[in-house]
Amino acid sequence: MNSVLIFLTSFFISLISVIWIKKIATRFKIGSLPSPRKLHKEFKPLMGGLGIALAVIGGFVVAQLLGLVSAEFWEKYRFFWIGFGIIILTGLFDDLRGISSRLKFLGEGLAALMLILGGCTIQSFGG
């Protein structure tokens, strides 16, 4: 039952926040315009990743409130959360201002470095 509650919380947070963020992005014209290099033919609002990130965080908060995640969880996985924040900020800056591929790659590399510093390893390359 707890898993269903966490899923539903995350689902509704993502649904509401993505709709809300889409309205804000449309209002302030934060999006992608059509061009010869793009497939879409009309304005496409950006920043949807922020809504998904809020849903992930909301799911973990609910899991903690239900006692499924200990209070030490946030500290134990702090490098994951730092990397998560770096990815969110990199995407947000790219959506708002547009950043170079090098700067985007640097943000992704820093996020990966956080995972490595946190002890994340690859166990296997096979299936």
Side-chain angles (χ1 to χ4, degrees):
M1 184 63 185
N2 289 335
S3 299
V4 173
L5 183 59
I6 294 168
F7 169 78
L8 290 174
T9 300
S10 296
F11 175 77
F12 284 112
I13 289 173
S14 67
L15 185 67
I16 292 166
S17 61
V18 167
I19 291 169
W20 181 68
I21 289 168
K22 181 180 178 183
K23 287 180 182 181
I24 290 171
T26 303
R27 180 176 179 201
F28 292 102
K29 296 182 178 46
I30 302 168
S32 177
L33 295 171
S35 77
R37 296 184 64 207
K38 297 177 183 172
L39 295 175
H40 58 87
K41 304 292 183 214
E42 66 278 337
F43 174 81
K44 292 289 180 188
L46 298 175
M47 298 190 339
L50 185 59
I52 302 302
L54 292 173
V56 169
I57 294 167
F60 279 109
V61 168
V62 168
Q64 185 174 3
L65 293 173
L66 293 172
L68 300 174
V69 173
S70 69
E72 296 83 32
F73 170 79
W74 303 98
E75 176 63 25
K76 182 178 179 183
Y77 295 105
R78 69 184 175 277
F79 288 104
F80 166 82
W81 292 110
I82 293 168
F84 185 77
I86 291 169
I87 289 293
I88 298 307
L89 289 174
T90 301
L92 194 57
F93 284 131
D94 187 38
D95 289 348
L96 292 172
R97 298 280 182 231
I99 59 176
S100 69
S101 58
R102 287 183 181 171
L103 194 55
K104 205 180 306 186
F105 187 71
L106 176 65
E108 293 165 353
L110 283 173
L113 179 62
M114 291 299 110
L115 290 177
I116 293 166
L117 291 174
C120 183
T121 59
I122 296 173
Q123 299 293 324
S124 171
F125 284 106

